[in-house]
Amino acid sequence: DADVTQTPRNRITKTGKRIMLECSQTKGHDRMYWYRQDPGLGLRLIYYSFDVKDINKGEISDGYSVSRQAQAKFSLSLESAIPNQTALYFCATSSGTSSSGYTFGSGTRLTVV
Amino acid sequence: EDQVTQSPEALRLQEGESSSLNCSYTVSGLRGLFWYRQDPGKGPEFLFTLYSAGEEKEKERLKATLTKKESFLHITAPKPEDSATYLCAVPIDFQGAQKLVFGQGTRLTINP
């Protein structure tokens, strides 16, 4: 099983719909992150959480919300999807020690039409 | 402003043709530099962490080096399976914590 599992892998949704992307990890790490990746813009941080009671906005949080249901689960919601939220979304986890890097999931490709 | 810039954007090599990818950064007080490999349709996969100028790390055909201004990912005698996008990232201070800032990546293609 993958260390970080994201569901769904692909999703097409209509403008205005609410959608949730889910992430679970088996690394036992406290820290979890949501990034989006766009061609030419690289990976950008949406939200991060350092433990179950800690939620923080990243650099592009507008239009998104998150929920940390447990140490292992961190979900991302688009309250009312718009076409410019079409992107590849990645969840990641880390132990907090700089040597370990981040472990990423395989991503969710989201298309908003 | 803290920035990470990778060059070239894309690189196409023949199998066995060695080359280097560049990652330059402008951050104050570097606390590590990370290299990742990303295959199409997959998440980035951690390769190396470098902490101080002069440090080197190796893994199979890859060797990462670090200076005070940039890092290089040297690929020696590459094979087609080394084709991927290579990303570098540095941690910066953000709202009292740290976040990783990623470069745009170098898309490497190795032709057989």
Side-chain angles (χ1 to χ4, degrees):
Chain A
D1 288 343
D3 292 327
V4 180
T5 301
Q6 292 184 236
T7 56
R9 287 300 313 276
N10 293 282
R11 181 73 181 265
I12 300 174
T13 192
K14 293 184 177 180
T15 297
K17 292 290 187 183
R18 185 177 189 273
I19 181 171
M20 180 183 289
L21 309 183
E22 299 188 355
C23 175
S24 63
Q25 52 104 352
T26 58
K27 299 283 285 185
H29 293 166
D30 287 327
R31 300 185 176 199
M32 297 188 74
Y33 312 83
W34 276 103
Y35 281 86
R36 68 177 277 177
Q37 188 174 40
D38 300 274
L41 294 177
L43 282 155
R44 293 181 292 166
L45 182 64
I46 306 172
Y47 270 94
Y48 63 100
S49 170
F50 283 177
D51 67 40
V52 175
K53 296 181 180 179
D54 177 71
I55 301 289
N56 302 282
K57 293 182 177 180
E59 56 191 301
I60 54 164
S61 59
D62 288 348
Y64 301 95
S65 63
V66 290
S67 174
R68 186 80 185 267
Q69 300 95 326
Q71 186 203 38
K73 295 183 182 296
F74 192 37
S75 60
L76 175 73
S77 293
L78 284 67
E79 300 302 324
S80 179
I82 56 176
N84 76 358
Q85 291 177 312
T86 293
L88 197 50
Y89 290 84
F90 288 104
C91 175
T93 185
S94 75
S95 67
T97 60
S98 57
S99 63
S100 60
Y102 288 13
T103 302
F104 284 84
S106 295
T108 293
R109 184 171 295 281
L110 178 67
T111 303
V112 183
V113 297
Chain B
E1 182 183 352
D2 297 320
Q3 276 195 323
V4 181
T5 304
Q6 292 187 246
S7 62
E9 288 187 17
L11 181 62
R12 191 178 289 271
L13 301 171
Q14 290 298 122
E15 185 172 0
E17 181 184 1
S18 300
S19 188
S20 296
L21 314 181
N22 178 265
C23 171
S24 62
Y25 58 89
T26 53
V27 298
S28 53
L30 184 70
R31 280 154 292 191
L33 184 143
F34 297 87
W35 280 99
Y36 288 85
R37 170 190 169 127
Q38 186 176 19
D39 293 299
K42 295 188 176 181
E45 177 185 349
F46 172 71
L47 290 173
F48 306 110
T49 308
L50 302 166
Y51 289 104
S52 56
E55 188 174 0
E56 299 182 351
K57 294 274 180 73
E58 287 190 63
K59 181 179 181 178
E60 295 182 353
R61 294 174 292 282
L62 299 176
K63 182 168 78 172
T65 62
L66 183 65
T67 72
K68 290 185 177 180
K69 296 287 187 183
E70 57 194 347
S71 177
F72 292 94
L73 185 65
H74 308 276
I75 182 160
T76 302
K79 299 181 178 182
E81 54 262 41
D82 295 320
S83 297
T85 295
Y86 290 86
L87 303 169
C88 68
V90 296
I92 67 166
D93 288 329
F94 182 77
Q95 299 175 345
Q98 282 189 2
K99 71 163 185 175
L100 277 188
V101 174
F102 285 85
Q104 308 291 341
T106 293
R107 188 173 65 255
L108 177 65
T109 304
I110 309 298
N111 294 317

